Amino acid sequence: MSGNRGRRRGGRPGSVRDVPLRTHWLLLTVLVITLSAALLLQGYTHHMFGTAADGAPRAQGPSGDIPATVVHGGPVIQDTGAGVRTARPATRTIALTFDDGPDPTWTPKVLDVLRRNHVHATFFVVGSQVAAHPELARRIVAEGHQLGIHTFTHTDLGAIAPWRRSLELSETQLAVAGATGVTTPLLRPPYSSSNDALDDREWSAVAQASQAGYLTVLSTLDSEDWKRPGVDRIVAAATPRGSAGQVLLMHDAGGDRAQTVTALEKLLPQLKAHGYRIGTVSTALDMADPVRAAGASDHWLGQGLIWALQGGDWAVRLISWLLYAAGALSVLRAVAVLIAARRHSRARQGTWGPPIAEPVSVIVPAYNESAGIEAAVRSLLASDHPVEVIVVDDGSTDGTADLVESLRLPGVRVIRQQNAGKPAALNTGLAAASCELVVMVDGDTVFEPDAVRMIVQPFADPRVGAVSGNAKVANRGGLLGRWQHIEYVVGFNLDRRLFDLAECMPTVPGAVGAFRRRALLAVGGVSDTTLAEDTDLTMALCRAGWRVVYEERAKAWTEAPASLGALWRQRYRWCYGTLQAMWKHRGALVQGGASGKLGRRGLVYLALFQMLLPLLAPVVDVFALYGLVFLDPVRIAGLWLAFLALQALMGLYAFRLDRERPGPLWSLPLQQFVYRQLMYLVVIQSVFTAVAGTRLRWQRMERYGSLQVPVAASSAGAPVPQAAAPVPQAAAPTADLAQSWLEEARAAPRDYPTHQGMGQPGWTPEQPLPHQQGGPYGQYQQGGPYDS
């Protein structure tokens, strides 16, 4: 793909901005940080807590630090600093408690049973569950029940650091305050049971909570409903032996609690019949209700926490669906591309028709190309097909035109014009061309000896208006060169095979492309309204009904950027120009015929796989880290390896089709970590720039002079052919004369061969497609070097 340059044209003064766009990077950073924080909170909440039931047997540690008053005291404990106090329910009184909720299935059923039996209970809630189901917490309070906290993530307080204990308790209080507008000092540590089961670690957590003002409520009677032993056994275990007051442990969450609900229906009438008074912890202890109204700040902070957690849950669900969709699309794309490549390879084994032997005009637009122009021109003269070479020097300041003229090569013309941009240079060359078939090549590209002959053979089919050649990276040494080499072979060329079969080729690259001259004139020549004039031109040809095909045997070697900065600038312009071209030709989406194929196949493909998926890349990467930390790292790593294997499979097949050695594919894993991220950031930058309507500046493209004339034809061992006889030269027009000539040519009658699209309603080859100015992309700054 090529960029264009020249003087700025059109647009009102001051209607665009020259300042670089930086706001989008701040926005992207904030988005990634916010998403990371939401996922971190969501992962901590849902994937870093214990899942064992509270009453499940656990190994008990040493207990020498626990005061005797606690070991032999009541289940309600408070360490005031001046001494430890305990309390127990009154005789024939039961404090009914439920742990682990609220649960959307079982908590409402438990509340219904309690309401029917006119009983109130204390619910020790998990903060993350309150945040997930705040309406249930509100119902608990509204129906006269009491709330206690059971930590935020159901973690073992004795097994975590003091700072995390404080976090667990404070976050749960915020969730309760945000959901219900109340705060509570009642605490039941997860995995606790009776006083004599405490060990030193658990006691340290109880003591720390007491210092923060909490009353720790243990249990004296375990219903063992967490075992799900059957309704009768739950009822038996929950029935006191004797008249002593009890704190009864049951569960309204943490699994299937159907047996608990049924047992509760039987248990409550029986306990009442035996004279037991059933109520909350505070009523069982004949103490004032410790639950208080929350302050306004705590309520709103808690509400914010709930929104953040719910947003994290929503984000995880959305990202999960997007990942499934992206994964399915990626697999489908890989399958489609591989099948299309195989079919394309077989289809191209034949001939297009009678061999094309007519001369070809080769246009080389040049701006400050002295480093590689000699190699480019000499490679063209080494073609085994008759050519005329037209070098259009677009106001170079490095002596490019002087260098070419000093070579005194037969069949080479140099046209000088004032700096006007690459599209203007191409149009100047097009006006000066003597042949019907035209090849356009960048000044940093060298052709294989048979490349011109190969690229024009598809014109034997009168429906073909343009042909894309096979651009290959010459300076493929080093990681960056290898990665671009892989991208050219696997990405660009495989896609072109698919586009060819689907008849929706969006781009004939500026490095190596061939055209019918009359097809170019029919669409108004090369437009300068986008930064990707090659993509714009190709789309215009497709919409005009011409077929655009891919000829992989036409190989040309081009210099790729040798630094990350140069690569960034190149791909930024490519992507931004492609967005401009897609917007300009968006009408193809609703049109029929060849234009509709471009719109509904080519543009949709570009939008999905070259725009949408890269925009999702940061989200995917953040979620991958989330999965490694909070989910199953083996599964996440396996998915990544499967994706890498798919990429490797595509790479091996693409390299085989291009007859390339697969050695560079060893760097594919590294490419996924570095190069892929860079390309995604390029798309993000381009989309933000386009949406903001910011003008894109051109910068100097580095030329390294690494290209040389091929020493042999593309077939192994073939000698270098002699330069073909030069084509008679026409007078060299100036840029203004060229524009005038083009306008006259467009108005002249034409006798085109019938091909697909011609004769259909709305198809008028005599009228060029309108070059839309402006749009959401604004104007762009011209006045820089050409870029491949």
Side-chain angles (χ1 to χ4, degrees):
M1 187 181 292
S2 304
N4 60 9
R5 58 175 293 280
R7 297 184 182 88
R8 176 185 168 190
R9 302 184 183 211
R12 295 173 297 173
S15 62
V16 294
R17 292 173 288 173
D18 276 324
V19 295
L21 187 64
R22 293 290 181 265
T23 321
H24 63 288
W25 289 124
L26 177 61
L27 180 61
L28 177 63
T29 302
V30 171
L31 176 63
V32 171
I33 292 176
T34 303
L35 178 62
S36 300
L39 291 179
L40 181 64
L41 184 59
Q42 200 272 351
Y44 174 83
T45 301
H46 294 284
H47 301 289
M48 290 191 69
F49 57 87
T51 57
D54 287 330
R58 300 169 66 244
Q60 186 175 3
S63 56
D65 295 338
I66 304 176
T69 53
V70 172
V71 176
H72 303 292
V76 181
I77 305 168
Q78 184 178 34
D79 184 355
T80 62
V84 179
R85 297 186 302 176
T86 68
R88 66 175 68 250
T91 302
R92 304 194 72 82
T93 302
I94 296 176
L96 180 59
T97 65
F98 293 90
D99 285 5
D100 296 351
D103 180 273
T105 300
W106 304 113
T107 300
K109 296 181 183 296
V110 169
L111 290 172
D112 291 342
V113 174
L114 295 178
R115 186 180 65 251
R116 287 194 293 269
N117 288 274
H118 307 288
V119 170
H120 292 103
T122 300
F123 288 80
F124 290 95
V125 294
V126 176
S128 59
Q129 289 293 99
V130 172
H133 310 288
E135 72 286 350
L136 292 179
R138 287 192 288 270
R139 179 181 172 185
I140 291 172
V141 173
E143 294 187 4
H145 302 286
Q146 194 171 59
L147 286 178
I149 66 173
H150 200 48
T151 75
F152 194 73
T153 62
H154 200 271
T155 188
D156 185 351
L157 290 177
I160 61 177
W163 68 267
R164 190 177 163 197
R165 294 172 186 166
S166 298
L167 179 65
E168 286 280 331
L169 301 184
S170 61
E171 293 301 288
T172 308
Q173 286 287 10
L174 281 179
V176 171
T180 66
V182 303
T183 61
T184 175
L186 302 179
L187 164 68
R188 173 168 288 160
Y191 310 112
S192 64
S193 56
S194 58
N195 294 43
D196 57 1
L198 287 175
D199 60 22
D200 290 342
R201 293 188 313 163
E202 293 169 332
W203 171 246
S204 69
V206 172
Q208 181 180 344
S210 294
Q211 294 171 6
Y214 286 94
L215 290 173
T216 299
V217 181
L218 303 180
S219 62
T220 60
L221 191 62
D222 185 358
S223 68
E224 298 187 348
D225 61 343
W226 51 272
K227 293 181 179 179
R228 293 194 286 274
V231 172
D232 292 338
R233 294 188 63 179
I234 292 175
V235 171
T239 302
R241 308 293 189 268
S243 60
Q246 306 287 342
V247 177
L248 175 59
L249 170 63
M250 303 188 80
H251 296 82
D252 65 324
D256 186 346
R257 297 304 177 207
Q259 293 182 8
T260 300
V261 174
T262 305
L264 195 61
E265 287 274 21
K266 297 178 62 176
L267 176 66
L268 295 179
Q270 289 182 14
L271 291 177
K272 287 183 177 182
H274 286 84
Y276 285 94
R277 183 164 58 97
I278 308 168
T280 65
V281 169
S282 60
T283 57
L285 270 67
D286 292 323
M287 61 181 286
D289 188 354
V291 177
R292 295 288 182 268
S297 61
D298 287 340
H299 173 68
W300 287 111
L301 284 173
Q303 190 66 63
L305 175 64
I306 291 173
W307 288 339
L309 288 170
Q310 291 179 342
D313 292 340
W314 177 86
V316 168
R317 287 194 294 269
L318 176 62
I319 294 173
S320 298
W321 283 109
L322 289 175
L323 288 177
Y324 285 128
L329 286 173
S330 297
V331 172
L332 287 174
R333 173 184 178 270
V335 172
V337 166
L338 290 175
I339 292 176
R342 183 174 178 82
R343 290 184 57 188
H344 185 273
S345 177
R346 290 180 174 179
R348 294 297 178 262
Q349 290 178 359
T351 60
W352 291 92
I356 299 294
E358 63 184 89
V360 174
S361 296
V362 182
I363 304 172
V364 186
Y367 176 83
N368 290 350
E369 298 284 1
S370 59
I373 193 67
E374 179 178 355
V377 171
R378 289 190 182 277
S379 73
L380 293 169
L381 292 180
S383 298
D384 59 2
H385 194 92
V387 297
E388 67 166 351
V389 179
I390 304 171
V391 178
V392 182
D393 183 85
D394 189 43
S396 296
T397 59
D398 68 344
T400 297
D402 295 335
L403 173 60
V404 177
E405 288 178 340
S406 69
L407 299 176
R408 300 184 182 279
L409 298 173
V412 177
R413 275 189 290 162
V414 177
I415 301 175
R416 299 173 186 257
Q417 68 177 31
Q418 291 184 347
N419 178 246
K422 186 174 182 180
L426 289 171
N427 285 330
T428 297
L430 184 61
S434 303
C435 305
E436 168 62 14
L437 301 182
V438 176
V439 172
M440 296 180 182
V441 55
D442 289 335
D444 64 337
T445 304
V446 299
F447 271 39
E448 292 280 354
D450 64 347
V452 173
R453 173 168 56 84
M454 288 296 182
I455 202 170
V456 299
Q457 295 311 308
F459 290 116
D461 185 341
R463 299 173 301 169
V464 174
V467 183
S468 167
N470 187 348
K472 308 186 77 63
V473 174
N475 51 330
R476 56 182 67 172
L479 276 178
L480 191 60
R482 289 190 184 95
W483 291 341
Q484 292 179 84
H485 171 44
I486 293 172
E487 183 183 28
Y488 271 65
V489 175
V490 180
F492 298 159
N493 289 341
L494 280 185
D495 279 348
R496 287 193 181 108
R497 295 174 189 271
L498 175 64
F499 290 140
D500 188 349
L501 288 182
E503 299 182 13
C504 60
M505 185 79 69
T507 304
V508 171
V512 51
F515 304 86
R516 288 190 194 273
R517 187 159 164 267
R518 55 188 173 187
L520 295 178
L521 298 179
V523 297
V526 183
S527 170
D528 63 355
T529 58
T530 73
L531 293 180
E533 81 289 328
D534 48 6
T535 299
D536 183 10
L537 177 62
T538 308
M539 290 182 178
L541 290 171
C542 287
R543 294 185 70 186
W546 293 97
R547 277 208 62 191
V548 181
V549 300
Y550 173 55
E551 178 51 79
E552 69 272 16
R553 295 173 296 181
K555 299 177 181 178
W557 299 82
T558 186
E559 274 190 330
S563 68
L564 287 176
L567 178 65
W568 174 275
R569 292 189 293 271
Q570 180 198 64
R571 299 310 173 85
Y572 181 23
R573 291 191 290 271
W574 284 10
C575 186
Y576 185 88
T578 299
L579 281 171
Q580 288 180 307
M582 291 172 66
W583 179 259
K584 177 178 176 179
H585 296 283
R586 63 191 183 279
L589 289 167
V590 295
Q591 293 177 340
S595 184
K597 291 180 181 178
L598 171 70
R600 290 182 290 279
R601 298 176 186 178
L603 296 187
V604 170
Y605 185 94
L606 292 177
L608 284 177
F609 296 109
Q610 294 189 20
M611 301 302 165
L612 179 60
L613 288 184
L615 289 176
L616 293 175
V619 177
V620 173
D621 291 339
V622 169
F623 193 79
L625 293 176
Y626 167 87
L628 289 174
V629 174
F630 296 112
L631 303 179
D632 184 358
V634 175
R635 180 186 175 193
I636 298 299
L639 289 174
W640 186 83
L641 290 174
F643 174 78
L644 184 63
L646 182 63
Q647 297 294 313
L649 177 64
M650 293 178 63
L652 287 171
Y653 188 64
F655 271 61
R656 178 184 174 187
L657 287 178
D658 262 28
R659 295 178 175 84
E660 292 276 0
R661 289 180 297 180
L665 290 175
W666 70 265
S667 64
L668 194 59
L670 291 176
Q671 187 193 44
Q672 300 301 308
F673 282 110
V674 180
Y675 190 82
R676 184 175 67 98
Q677 314 304 324
L678 181 66
M679 295 300 102
Y680 289 164
L681 291 176
V682 165
V683 175
I684 293 170
Q685 166 94 347
S686 302
V687 170
F688 272 98
T689 305
V691 172
T694 302
R695 182 165 60 201
L696 183 60
R697 291 180 178 273
W698 280 107
Q699 295 161 334
R700 179 76 173 95
M701 176 63 187
E702 299 175 44
R703 299 304 189 202
Y704 315 105
S706 61
L707 295 173
Q708 298 178 355
V709 182
V711 298
S714 55
S715 55
V720 178
Q722 298 296 320
V727 177
Q729 299 180 5
T734 65
D736 292 338
L737 287 177
Q739 182 65 26
S740 174
W741 185 89
L742 280 171
E743 292 174 356
E744 293 177 1
R746 293 175 190 143
R750 294 168 177 78
D751 182 18
Y752 292 157
T754 300
H755 62 282
Q756 183 177 3
M758 283 191 172
Q760 296 183 2
W763 189 86
T764 55
E766 290 80 13
Q767 300 176 3
L769 292 171
H771 299 312
Q772 301 173 0
Q773 302 287 344
Y777 305 110
Q779 302 291 331
Y780 56 88
Q781 169 115 4
Q782 299 174 332
Y786 295 139
D787 177 22
S788 308

